[in-house]
Coordinates of all heavy atoms in Angstrom, one line a residue:
V568 N 0.8 -1.2 0.0 CA 0.0 0.0 0.0 C 0.9 1.2 0.0 O 1.6 1.5 1.0 CB -0.9 0.0 1.2 CG1 -1.8 1.3 1.2 CG2 -1.8 -1.2 1.3
G569 N 0.8 1.9 -1.1 CA 1.6 3.2 -1.2 C 3.1 2.9 -1.4 O 3.6 1.9 -1.0
G570 N 3.8 3.8 -2.1 CA 5.2 3.7 -2.2 C 5.8 2.6 -3.2 O 5.0 1.9 -3.8
R571 N 7.1 2.6 -3.3 CA 7.8 1.7 -4.2 C 7.3 1.8 -5.6 O 7.2 0.8 -6.3 CB 7.6 0.3 -3.6 CG 8.4 0.0 -2.4 CD 9.7 -0.6 -2.6 NE 9.7 -2.0 -2.9 CZ 9.7 -2.9 -1.9 NH1 9.8 -2.6 -0.7 NH2 9.7 -4.2 -2.2
M572 N 7.1 3.0 -6.1 CA 6.8 3.2 -7.5 C 8.2 3.4 -8.2 O 9.1 4.0 -7.6 CB 6.0 4.5 -7.7 CG 4.6 4.4 -7.2 SD 3.5 3.9 -8.4 CE 3.5 5.4 -9.4
R573 N 8.3 2.9 -9.4 CA 9.5 3.1 -10.1 C 9.3 3.2 -11.6 O 8.4 2.5 -12.1 CB 10.6 2.1 -9.8 CG 10.3 0.7 -10.3 CD 11.5 -0.1 -10.1 NE 11.4 -1.5 -10.6 CZ 11.5 -1.8 -11.9 NH1 11.8 -0.8 -12.8 NH2 11.4 -3.0 -12.3
P574 N 10.0 4.1 -12.3 CA 9.8 4.3 -13.7 C 10.2 3.0 -14.5 O 11.1 2.3 -14.1 CB 10.6 5.5 -14.1 CG 11.6 5.6 -13.0 CD 11.0 5.0 -11.7
V575 N 9.5 2.8 -15.6 CA 9.8 1.6 -16.4 C 10.0 2.1 -17.8 O 9.2 2.9 -18.4 CB 8.6 0.6 -16.4 CG1 8.8 -0.6 -17.3 CG2 8.3 0.2 -14.9
T576 N 11.0 1.6 -18.5 CA 11.3 2.0 -19.9 C 10.5 1.0 -20.8 O 10.2 -0.1 -20.4 CB 12.8 1.9 -20.2 OG1 13.2 0.6 -20.1 CG2 13.6 2.8 -19.3
P577 N 10.3 1.4 -22.0 CA 9.6 0.4 -23.0 C 10.4 -0.8 -23.1 O 9.8 -1.9 -23.3 CB 9.6 1.2 -24.3 CG 9.6 2.7 -23.8 CD 10.4 2.7 -22.6
A578 N 11.7 -0.8 -23.1 CA 12.6 -2.0 -23.3 C 12.4 -2.9 -22.1 O 12.3 -4.2 -22.3 CB 14.0 -1.6 -23.4
E579 N 12.3 -2.4 -20.9 CA 12.1 -3.3 -19.7 C 10.7 -3.9 -19.8 O 10.5 -5.1 -19.6 CB 12.3 -2.5 -18.4 CG 12.1 -3.5 -17.2 CD 12.2 -2.8 -15.9 OE1 12.2 -1.5 -15.8 OE2 12.3 -3.5 -14.9
L580 N 9.7 -3.0 -20.1 CA 8.3 -3.5 -20.2 C 8.2 -4.6 -21.2 O 7.5 -5.6 -20.9 CB 7.5 -2.3 -20.7 CG 6.0 -2.6 -21.0 CD1 5.2 -3.1 -19.8 CD2 5.3 -1.3 -21.6
S581 N 8.9 -4.6 -22.3 CA 8.8 -5.6 -23.3 C 9.3 -7.0 -22.9 O 8.9 -8.0 -23.5 CB 9.5 -5.2 -24.6 OG 10.9 -5.2 -24.4
T582 N 10.1 -7.0 -21.8 CA 10.6 -8.3 -21.3 C 9.6 -9.0 -20.5 O 9.7 -10.2 -20.2 CB 11.9 -8.1 -20.5 OG1 11.6 -7.4 -19.3 CG2 13.0 -7.4 -21.3
H583 N 8.5 -8.3 -20.0 CA 7.5 -8.9 -19.2 C 6.3 -9.3 -20.0 O 5.3 -8.7 -20.0 CB 7.1 -7.9 -18.1 CG 8.3 -7.6 -17.2 ND1 8.6 -8.3 -16.1 CD2 9.1 -6.5 -17.2 CE1 9.7 -7.7 -15.5 NE2 10.0 -6.7 -16.2
N584 N 6.5 -10.4 -20.8 CA 5.4 -10.8 -21.7 C 5.1 -12.2 -21.7 O 4.7 -12.8 -22.7 CB 5.9 -10.4 -23.1 CG 7.1 -11.1 -23.6 OD1 7.8 -11.7 -22.8 ND2 7.4 -11.1 -24.9
T585 N 5.2 -12.9 -20.5 CA 4.8 -14.3 -20.4 C 3.8 -14.4 -19.3 O 3.6 -13.5 -18.5 CB 6.0 -15.2 -20.0 OG1 6.4 -14.8 -18.6 CG2 7.2 -15.0 -20.9
T586 N 3.0 -15.5 -19.3 CA 1.9 -15.6 -18.3 C 2.4 -15.7 -16.9 O 1.7 -15.4 -15.9 CB 1.1 -16.9 -18.6 OG1 1.9 -18.0 -18.7 CG2 0.3 -16.7 -19.9
N587 N 3.7 -16.0 -16.7 CA 4.3 -16.0 -15.4 C 4.8 -14.7 -14.9 O 5.2 -14.5 -13.8 CB 5.5 -17.0 -15.3 CG 5.0 -18.4 -15.3 OD1 3.9 -18.8 -14.8 ND2 5.8 -19.3 -16.0
D588 N 4.9 -13.8 -15.9 CA 5.5 -12.5 -15.6 C 5.0 -11.5 -16.7 O 5.7 -11.3 -17.7 CB 7.0 -12.6 -15.6 CG 7.7 -11.3 -15.5 OD1 7.1 -10.3 -15.0 OD2 8.9 -11.2 -15.8
A589 N 3.8 -11.0 -16.4 CA 3.2 -10.1 -17.5 C 2.9 -8.7 -17.0 O 2.3 -8.5 -15.9 CB 1.9 -10.8 -17.9
W590 N 3.5 -7.7 -17.7 CA 3.2 -6.3 -17.4 C 2.6 -5.7 -18.6 O 2.8 -6.2 -19.7 CB 4.5 -5.5 -17.1 CG 5.2 -5.9 -15.9 CD1 5.0 -7.0 -15.0 CD2 6.4 -5.3 -15.3 NE1 5.9 -7.0 -14.0 CE2 6.8 -6.0 -14.2 CE3 7.1 -4.1 -15.7 CZ2 7.9 -5.6 -13.4 CZ3 8.2 -3.7 -14.9 CH2 8.6 -4.5 -13.8
L591 N 1.8 -4.7 -18.4 CA 1.3 -3.9 -19.6 C 1.1 -2.4 -19.1 O 1.0 -2.1 -17.9 CB 0.0 -4.4 -20.2 CG -1.3 -4.6 -19.5 CD1 -1.9 -3.2 -19.1 CD2 -2.3 -5.4 -20.3
A592 N 1.1 -1.5 -20.1 CA 1.0 -0.1 -19.8 C -0.3 0.4 -20.4 O -0.7 0.0 -21.5 CB 2.1 0.7 -20.4
I593 N -1.0 1.2 -19.6 CA -2.2 1.9 -20.1 C -2.1 3.4 -19.7 O -1.9 3.7 -18.5 CB -3.5 1.3 -19.6 CG1 -3.7 -0.1 -20.0 CG2 -4.7 2.1 -20.1 CD1 -4.9 -0.8 -19.4
R594 N -2.2 4.3 -20.7 CA -2.1 5.7 -20.4 C -0.9 6.1 -19.5 O -1.1 6.8 -18.5 CB -3.4 6.3 -19.9 CG -4.4 6.6 -21.0 CD -5.7 7.1 -20.5 NE -6.7 6.0 -20.4 CZ -7.3 5.4 -21.4 NH1 -7.0 5.8 -22.6 NH2 -8.1 4.5 -21.2
G595 N 0.3 5.5 -19.8 CA 1.5 5.9 -19.2 C 1.7 5.3 -17.8 O 2.7 5.7 -17.1
R596 N 0.9 4.3 -17.4 CA 1.1 3.7 -16.2 C 1.3 2.2 -16.4 O 0.5 1.5 -17.2 CB -0.1 3.9 -15.2 CG -0.2 5.3 -14.7 CD -1.6 5.7 -14.3 NE -2.0 5.3 -13.0 CZ -1.8 5.9 -11.9 NH1 -1.0 7.0 -11.9 NH2 -2.2 5.5 -10.7
V597 N 2.3 1.6 -15.8 CA 2.7 0.2 -16.0 C 2.1 -0.6 -14.9 O 2.3 -0.3 -13.7 CB 4.2 0.0 -16.0 CG1 4.6 -1.5 -16.2 CG2 4.8 0.8 -17.2
Y598 N 1.4 -1.7 -15.2 CA 0.8 -2.6 -14.2 C 1.4 -4.0 -14.4 O 1.6 -4.5 -15.5 CB -0.7 -2.7 -14.4 CG -1.4 -1.3 -14.3 CD1 -1.6 -0.6 -15.5 CD2 -1.8 -0.8 -13.1 CE1 -2.3 0.7 -15.4 CE2 -2.4 0.4 -13.0 CZ -2.7 1.1 -14.1 OH -3.3 2.4 -14.1
N599 N 1.5 -4.7 -13.3 CA 1.9 -6.1 -13.3 C 0.6 -6.9 -13.3 O -0.1 -7.0 -12.2 CB 2.7 -6.4 -12.0 CG 3.2 -7.9 -12.0 OD1 2.5 -8.7 -12.7 ND2 4.2 -8.2 -11.3
I600 N 0.2 -7.4 -14.4 CA -1.1 -8.1 -14.6 C -1.1 -9.6 -14.3 O -2.1 -10.3 -14.4 CB -1.7 -7.9 -16.0 CG1 -0.7 -8.3 -17.0 CG2 -2.1 -6.4 -16.2 CD1 -1.3 -8.5 -18.4
T601 N 0.1 -10.1 -13.9 CA 0.3 -11.5 -13.7 C -0.8 -12.2 -12.8 O -1.4 -13.2 -13.2 CB 1.6 -11.8 -13.0 OG1 2.7 -11.1 -13.7 CG2 2.0 -13.3 -13.1
H602 N -1.1 -11.6 -11.7 CA -2.0 -12.2 -10.8 C -3.5 -11.9 -11.2 O -4.4 -12.5 -10.7 CB -1.8 -11.7 -9.4 CG -0.4 -12.1 -8.9 ND1 0.0 -13.5 -8.7 CD2 0.7 -11.4 -8.6 CE1 1.2 -13.5 -8.3 NE2 1.7 -12.3 -8.3
Y603 N -3.7 -10.9 -12.0 CA -5.0 -10.6 -12.5 C -5.5 -11.5 -13.6 O -6.7 -11.7 -13.9 CB -5.1 -9.1 -12.9 CG -6.5 -8.7 -13.4 CD1 -7.6 -8.6 -12.5 CD2 -6.8 -8.4 -14.7 CE1 -8.9 -8.2 -12.9 CE2 -8.0 -8.1 -15.2 CZ -9.1 -8.0 -14.2 OH -10.3 -7.6 -14.7
L604 N -4.5 -12.1 -14.3 CA -4.8 -12.9 -15.5 C -6.0 -13.9 -15.3 O -6.9 -13.9 -16.2 CB -3.6 -13.7 -16.0 CG -2.6 -12.9 -16.8 CD1 -1.3 -13.7 -17.0 CD2 -3.1 -12.5 -18.2
P605 N -6.0 -14.7 -14.3 CA -7.1 -15.7 -14.1 C -8.5 -15.0 -13.9 O -9.5 -15.7 -14.0 CB -6.7 -16.5 -12.9 CG -5.3 -16.1 -12.6 CD -5.0 -14.8 -13.2
Y606 N -8.5 -13.7 -13.5 CA -9.7 -13.1 -13.1 C -10.3 -12.2 -14.2 O -11.3 -11.6 -14.1 CB -9.5 -12.2 -11.9 CG -9.0 -13.0 -10.7 CD1 -7.7 -13.0 -10.3 CD2 -9.9 -13.8 -10.0 CE1 -7.3 -13.7 -9.2 CE2 -9.5 -14.6 -8.9 CZ -8.2 -14.5 -8.5 OH -7.7 -15.3 -7.5
H607 N -9.5 -12.0 -15.3 CA -9.9 -11.2 -16.4 C -11.2 -11.8 -17.0 O -11.2 -12.9 -17.5 CB -8.8 -11.0 -17.5 CG -9.2 -10.2 -18.6 ND1 -9.2 -10.6 -19.9 CD2 -9.7 -8.9 -18.7 CE1 -9.6 -9.6 -20.7 NE2 -9.9 -8.6 -20.0
P608 N -12.3 -11.0 -17.1 CA -13.6 -11.5 -17.6 C -13.5 -11.9 -19.1 O -14.3 -12.8 -19.5 CB -14.6 -10.3 -17.4 CG -14.0 -9.5 -16.3 CD -12.5 -9.6 -16.5
G609 N -12.6 -11.3 -19.8 CA -12.4 -11.7 -21.2 C -11.4 -12.9 -21.4 O -11.1 -13.3 -22.5
G610 N -10.9 -13.4 -20.3 CA -10.0 -14.5 -20.4 C -8.5 -14.1 -20.4 O -8.2 -13.0 -20.8
P611 N -7.7 -15.0 -19.9 CA -6.2 -14.6 -19.8 C -5.6 -14.4 -21.2 O -4.7 -13.6 -21.4 CB -5.6 -15.9 -19.1 CG -6.6 -16.9 -19.1 CD -8.0 -16.3 -19.3
E612 N -6.1 -15.2 -22.2 CA -5.5 -15.1 -23.6 C -5.7 -13.7 -24.1 O -4.8 -13.1 -24.7 CB -6.0 -16.1 -24.5 CG -5.7 -17.6 -24.1 CD -6.7 -18.1 -23.1 OE1 -7.6 -17.4 -22.7 OE2 -6.4 -19.3 -22.7
E613 N -6.9 -13.2 -23.9 CA -7.2 -11.8 -24.4 C -6.4 -10.8 -23.7 O -5.8 -9.9 -24.4 CB -8.7 -11.5 -24.2 CG -9.6 -12.1 -25.2 CD -9.4 -11.4 -26.6 OE1 -9.2 -10.2 -26.7 OE2 -9.5 -12.1 -27.6
L614 N -6.2 -10.9 -22.4 CA -5.4 -9.9 -21.7 C -4.0 -10.0 -22.1 O -3.3 -9.0 -22.2 CB -5.6 -10.2 -20.2 CG -5.0 -9.2 -19.2 CD1 -5.3 -7.8 -19.5 CD2 -5.4 -9.5 -17.8
M615 N -3.5 -11.2 -22.4 CA -2.1 -11.4 -22.8 C -1.8 -10.7 -24.1 O -0.6 -10.5 -24.4 CB -1.7 -12.9 -22.8 CG -1.4 -13.5 -21.5 SD -0.1 -12.7 -20.6 CE 1.3 -13.2 -21.6
R616 N -2.8 -10.4 -24.9 CA -2.5 -9.7 -26.1 C -1.9 -8.4 -25.9 O -1.2 -7.8 -26.8 CB -3.8 -9.5 -26.9 CG -4.4 -10.8 -27.5 CD -5.8 -10.5 -28.1 NE -5.7 -9.6 -29.2 CZ -6.6 -8.7 -29.6 NH1 -7.8 -8.8 -29.0 NH2 -6.5 -7.9 -30.6
G617 N -2.1 -7.8 -24.7 CA -1.5 -6.5 -24.4 C -0.2 -6.6 -23.6 O 0.3 -5.5 -23.2
A618 N 0.3 -7.8 -23.3 CA 1.4 -8.0 -22.4 C 2.7 -7.4 -23.0 O 2.9 -7.6 -24.2 CB 1.6 -9.4 -22.0
G619 N 3.5 -6.8 -22.2 CA 4.8 -6.3 -22.6 C 4.8 -5.1 -23.5 O 5.8 -4.7 -24.1
M620 N 3.7 -4.4 -23.5 CA 3.6 -3.2 -24.4 C 2.6 -2.2 -23.8 O 2.0 -2.4 -22.8 CB 3.1 -3.7 -25.8 CG 1.7 -4.4 -25.7 SD 1.3 -5.1 -27.3 CE -0.2 -4.2 -27.7
D621 N 2.6 -1.1 -24.6 CA 1.5 -0.1 -24.3 C 0.2 -0.6 -24.9 O 0.1 -0.6 -26.1 CB 2.0 1.2 -24.9 CG 0.9 2.3 -24.7 OD1 -0.2 2.0 -24.2 OD2 1.3 3.5 -24.8
A622 N -0.7 -1.0 -24.0 CA -1.9 -1.6 -24.5 C -3.1 -0.7 -24.5 O -4.3 -1.1 -24.6 CB -2.3 -2.8 -23.5
T623 N -2.8 0.6 -24.5 CA -3.9 1.6 -24.4 C -4.9 1.5 -25.5 O -6.1 1.4 -25.2 CB -3.3 3.0 -24.4 OG1 -2.3 3.2 -23.4 CG2 -4.4 4.1 -24.2
Q624 N -4.4 1.4 -26.7 CA -5.3 1.3 -27.9 C -6.2 0.1 -27.9 O -7.4 0.1 -28.1 CB -4.6 1.5 -29.2 CG -4.0 2.9 -29.3 CD -3.3 3.1 -30.7 OE1 -2.6 2.2 -31.1 NE2 -3.5 4.2 -31.3
L625 N -5.5 -1.1 -27.6 CA -6.2 -2.4 -27.5 C -7.3 -2.3 -26.4 O -8.4 -2.7 -26.7 CB -5.1 -3.4 -27.1 CG -5.3 -4.9 -27.5 CD1 -5.7 -5.0 -29.0 CD2 -4.0 -5.6 -27.2
F626 N -6.9 -1.8 -25.3 CA -7.8 -1.7 -24.2 C -9.0 -0.8 -24.5 O -10.2 -1.2 -24.3 CB -7.1 -1.1 -22.9 CG -8.0 -0.9 -21.8 CD1 -8.2 -1.8 -20.8 CD2 -8.7 0.3 -21.6 CE1 -9.0 -1.7 -19.7 CE2 -9.6 0.5 -20.5 CZ -9.7 -0.5 -19.6
D627 N -8.8 0.3 -25.1 CA -9.9 1.3 -25.5 C -10.7 0.7 -26.6 O -11.9 1.1 -26.7 CB -9.3 2.6 -25.9 CG -8.8 3.4 -24.7 OD1 -9.1 3.1 -23.6 OD2 -8.0 4.4 -24.9
K628 N -10.2 -0.1 -27.4 CA -11.0 -0.7 -28.5 C -12.0 -1.6 -28.0 O -13.1 -1.7 -28.5 CB -10.0 -1.4 -29.5 CG -10.5 -1.4 -30.9 CD -9.5 -2.2 -31.8 CE -8.2 -1.4 -32.0 NZ -7.2 -2.2 -32.8
V629 N -11.7 -2.3 -26.9 CA -12.5 -3.4 -26.3 C -13.5 -2.8 -25.3 O -14.7 -3.1 -25.3 CB -11.7 -4.5 -25.7 CG1 -12.6 -5.6 -25.3 CG2 -10.7 -5.0 -26.7
H630 N -13.0 -2.1 -24.3 CA -13.8 -1.7 -23.2 C -13.3 -0.4 -22.5 O -12.7 -0.5 -21.4 CB -14.0 -2.8 -22.2 CG -12.7 -3.6 -21.9 ND1 -11.5 -3.0 -21.8 CD2 -12.6 -4.9 -21.6 CE1 -10.6 -3.9 -21.5 NE2 -11.2 -5.1 -21.4
P631 N -13.5 0.7 -23.1 CA -13.0 2.0 -22.6 C -13.6 2.3 -21.2 O -13.1 3.2 -20.5 CB -13.3 3.0 -23.6 CG -14.4 2.4 -24.5 CD -14.1 0.9 -24.4
W632 N -14.8 1.7 -20.9 CA -15.5 2.0 -19.7 C -14.9 1.3 -18.5 O -15.3 1.7 -17.3 CB -17.0 1.6 -19.8 CG -17.1 0.2 -20.1 CD1 -17.2 -0.9 -19.2 CD2 -17.3 -0.4 -21.4 NE1 -17.4 -2.0 -19.9 CE2 -17.4 -1.8 -21.3 CE3 -17.3 0.1 -22.7 CZ2 -17.5 -2.7 -22.3 CZ3 -17.4 -0.8 -23.8 CH2 -17.5 -2.1 -23.6
V633 N -14.1 0.3 -18.7 CA -13.6 -0.4 -17.5 C -12.6 0.4 -16.7 O -11.7 1.0 -17.2 CB -12.9 -1.7 -18.0 CG1 -12.1 -2.4 -16.9 CG2 -13.9 -2.7 -18.6
N634 N -12.8 0.4 -15.4 CA -11.9 1.2 -14.5 C -10.7 0.4 -14.1 O -10.5 -0.1 -13.0 CB -12.7 1.6 -13.2 CG -11.9 2.6 -12.4 OD1 -10.7 2.9 -12.6 ND2 -12.6 3.3 -11.5
Y635 N -9.8 0.3 -15.1 CA -8.5 -0.5 -14.9 C -7.7 0.0 -13.7 O -7.0 -0.8 -13.0 CB -7.7 -0.5 -16.2 CG -7.3 0.8 -16.6 CD1 -6.0 1.3 -16.2 CD2 -8.1 1.6 -17.4 CE1 -5.6 2.6 -16.6 CE2 -7.7 2.9 -17.7 CZ -6.5 3.4 -17.3 OH -6.1 4.7 -17.7
D636 N -7.6 1.3 -13.6 CA -6.7 1.9 -12.6 C -7.1 1.5 -11.1 O -6.3 1.3 -10.3 CB -6.6 3.4 -12.7 CG -5.5 4.0 -11.9 OD1 -4.4 3.4 -12.0 OD2 -5.7 4.9 -11.2
S637 N -8.5 1.3 -10.9 CA -8.9 0.9 -9.6 C -8.8 -0.6 -9.5 O -8.3 -1.1 -8.4 CB -10.4 1.4 -9.4 OG -11.2 0.4 -8.9
L638 N -9.1 -1.3 -10.5 CA -9.0 -2.8 -10.5 C -7.5 -3.2 -10.3 O -7.2 -4.2 -9.6 CB -9.5 -3.4 -11.8 CG -11.0 -3.5 -12.0 CD1 -11.3 -3.8 -13.4 CD2 -11.6 -4.4 -11.0
L639 N -6.6 -2.5 -10.8 CA -5.2 -2.9 -10.8 C -4.4 -2.0 -9.9 O -3.1 -1.9 -10.0 CB -4.6 -2.8 -12.2 CG -5.2 -3.7 -13.3 CD1 -4.6 -3.4 -14.6 CD2 -5.1 -5.2 -12.9
A640 N -5.0 -1.3 -8.9 CA -4.3 -0.4 -8.0 C -3.1 -1.1 -7.3 O -2.1 -0.5 -7.2 CB -5.3 0.1 -7.0
K641 N -3.3 -2.3 -6.9 CA -2.2 -3.0 -6.2 C -1.2 -3.5 -7.1 O -0.2 -4.1 -6.7 CB -2.8 -4.1 -5.3 CG -3.6 -3.5 -4.1 CD -4.1 -4.6 -3.2 CE -4.8 -4.0 -2.0 NZ -5.7 -5.0 -1.3
C642 N -1.5 -3.5 -8.4 CA -0.6 -4.0 -9.4 C 0.3 -3.0 -10.1 O 1.1 -3.3 -11.0 CB -1.4 -4.8 -10.5 SG -2.5 -6.0 -9.8
L643 N 0.1 -1.7 -9.7 CA 0.8 -0.6 -10.3 C 2.3 -0.7 -10.0 O 2.8 -0.9 -8.9 CB 0.3 0.7 -9.8 CG 0.9 2.0 -10.4 CD1 0.6 2.0 -11.9 CD2 0.3 3.2 -9.7
V644 N 3.1 -0.7 -11.1 CA 4.6 -0.8 -11.0 C 5.1 0.7 -10.9 O 5.9 1.0 -10.1 CB 5.2 -1.6 -12.1 CG1 6.7 -1.6 -12.0 CG2 4.7 -3.0 -12.2
G645 N 4.7 1.5 -11.9 CA 5.2 2.9 -11.9 C 4.9 3.4 -13.3 O 4.3 2.8 -14.2
P646 N 5.4 4.7 -13.5 CA 5.2 5.3 -14.8 C 6.0 4.8 -16.0 O 7.2 4.4 -15.7 CB 5.6 6.8 -14.5 CG 6.5 6.7 -13.4 CD 6.1 5.5 -12.6
L647 N 5.4 4.7 -17.1 CA 6.2 4.4 -18.3 C 7.0 5.6 -18.8 O 6.4 6.7 -19.0 CB 5.2 3.9 -19.4 CG 5.8 3.5 -20.8 CD1 6.7 2.3 -20.5 CD2 4.8 3.1 -21.8
R648 N 8.3 5.5 -18.9 CA 9.2 6.6 -19.1 C 10.0 6.4 -20.4 O 10.7 5.4 -20.5 CB 10.1 6.9 -17.9 CG 9.4 7.4 -16.7 CD 9.0 8.8 -16.8 NE 10.1 9.6 -16.9 CZ 10.8 10.2 -15.9 NH1 10.4 9.9 -14.7 NH2 11.8 10.9 -16.0
F649 N 9.9 7.3 -21.3 CA 10.6 7.2 -22.6 C 11.9 7.9 -22.6 O 12.7 7.8 -23.5 CB 9.7 7.7 -23.7 CG 8.5 6.9 -24.0 CD1 7.3 7.2 -23.3 CD2 8.5 5.8 -24.8 CE1 6.1 6.4 -23.5 CE2 7.4 5.0 -25.0 CZ 6.2 5.3 -24.3
D650 N 12.1 8.7 -21.5 CA 13.3 9.6 -21.5 C 14.4 9.1 -20.6 O 15.2 9.9 -20.2 CB 12.8 11.0 -21.1 CG 12.1 11.0 -19.7 OD1 11.7 9.9 -19.3 OD2 12.0 12.0 -19.1
L651 N 14.4 7.8 -20.3 CA 15.4 7.3 -19.4 C 16.3 6.3 -20.2 O 15.7 5.6 -21.1 CB 14.8 6.6 -18.2 CG 14.1 7.4 -17.2 CD1 13.4 6.5 -16.2 CD2 15.0 8.4 -16.6
P652 N 17.5 6.1 -19.9 CA 18.3 5.1 -20.6 C 17.8 3.7 -20.2 O 17.3 3.5 -19.1 CB 19.7 5.3 -20.0 CG 19.5 6.1 -18.8 CD 18.3 6.9 -18.9
D653 N 18.0 2.8 -21.2 CA 17.5 1.4 -20.9 C 18.3 0.6 -20.0 O 17.9 -0.3 -19.3 CB 17.3 0.7 -22.3 CG 16.0 1.2 -23.0 OD1 15.1 1.5 -22.3 OD2 16.1 1.3 -24.2
A654 N 19.6 0.9 -20.0 CA 20.5 0.2 -19.1 C 20.3 0.5 -17.7 O 19.9 1.6 -17.4 CB 22.0 0.4 -19.5
E655 N 20.5 -0.4 -16.8 CA 20.3 -0.2 -15.3 C 20.8 1.2 -15.0 O 20.4 1.8 -14.1 CB 21.2 -1.2 -14.6 CG 20.5 -2.5 -14.4 CD 19.3 -2.5 -13.4 OE1 19.6 -2.7 -12.2 OE2 18.2 -2.3 -13.8
Ligands
LIG1204 C1 -13.8 -7.9 -20.7 C2 -10.2 -8.0 -23.8 C3 -7.4 -5.6 -20.8 C4 -10.9 -5.8 -17.5 C5 -13.1 -8.1 -21.8 C6 -13.6 -8.8 -23.0 C7 -12.5 -8.8 -23.9 C8 -11.4 -8.2 -23.3 C9 -12.5 -9.4 -25.3 C10 -15.0 -9.2 -23.3 C11 -15.3 -10.5 -22.7 C12 -16.7 -10.9 -23.0 O1 -17.6 -10.0 -22.8 O2 -17.0 -12.1 -23.3 C13 -9.1 -7.3 -23.3 C14 -7.9 -7.1 -24.0 C15 -7.1 -6.4 -23.1 C16 -7.9 -6.2 -21.9 C17 -7.5 -7.5 -25.4 C18 -5.7 -5.9 -23.4 C19 -5.2 -4.8 -23.1 C20 -8.1 -5.4 -19.6 C21 -7.6 -4.8 -18.4 C22 -8.6 -4.9 -17.5 C23 -9.7 -5.5 -18.1 C24 -6.2 -4.2 -18.2 C25 -8.6 -4.3 -16.1 C26 -7.8 -4.7 -15.1 C27 -12.0 -6.3 -18.1 C28 -13.4 -6.3 -17.5 C29 -14.2 -6.9 -18.4 C30 -13.4 -7.3 -19.6 C31 -13.8 -5.8 -16.1 C32 -15.7 -7.0 -18.4 C33 -16.3 -5.7 -19.0 C34 -17.7 -5.7 -19.1 O3 -18.4 -6.7 -19.2 O4 -18.3 -4.5 -19.1 N1 -11.8 -7.8 -22.0 N2 -9.1 -6.8 -22.0 N3 -9.4 -5.9 -19.3 N4 -12.1 -6.9 -19.3 FE1 -10.6 -6.9 -20.7

């Protein structure tokens, strides 16, 4: 609860693209969706289509009304940042 936010680069985001370790970004916020996968009403396969990337357009195409930020509050990793070096 609170804290431990850290910026994520697109390169790091792209490495989290398996069902055991899945992150996605929506509107500049990166979420770890690994534990939400089994609960996604559209099924884990559908949700995995957005893994490892900025899934904003995909998300909005399917269900722009869904309150992802509240559903994934505890899964928030941090902001997606394009202006940081990719190396540690
Ligand atoms: C429903 C796809 C991300 C939450 C659905 C459905 C699809 C889908 C196809 C419809 C299932 C049905 O009615 O049979 C996707 C795709 C995503 C994505 C491709 C990739 C980004 C998310 C995220 C969340 C989420 C990030 C929130 C944590 C929900 C909810 C529903 C739903 C709550 C039920 C919506 C309703 O019935 O009004 N999704 N989803 N989805 N998804 Fe996603």
Side-chain angles (χ1 to χ4, degrees):
V568 179
R571 289 268 280 272
M572 293 264 291
R573 67 173 185 78
V575 178
T576 64
E579 183 185 10
L580 174 60
S581 71
T582 66
H583 299 274
N584 65 344
T585 67
T586 53
N587 288 326
D588 176 20
W590 295 7
L591 62 68
I593 299 176
R594 276 179 266 287
R596 287 152 84 85
V597 176
Y598 303 92
N599 182 338
I600 55 164
T601 311
H602 299 295
Y603 181 71
L604 280 170
Y606 303 102
H607 180 236
E612 295 84 4
E613 278 292 321
L614 186 49
M615 279 304 289
R616 291 175 60 209
M620 60 191 241
D621 182 343
T623 306
Q624 291 183 320
L625 206 50
F626 178 90
D627 284 346
K628 211 180 290 179
V629 186
H630 41 37
W632 58 85
V633 168
N634 192 346
Y635 61 92
D636 194 47
S637 135
L638 287 168
L639 299 177
K641 291 180 175 166
C642 308
L643 183 60
V644 179
L647 183 60
R648 291 284 297 271
F649 295 91
D650 56 341
L651 295 173
D653 284 324
E655 278 287 274

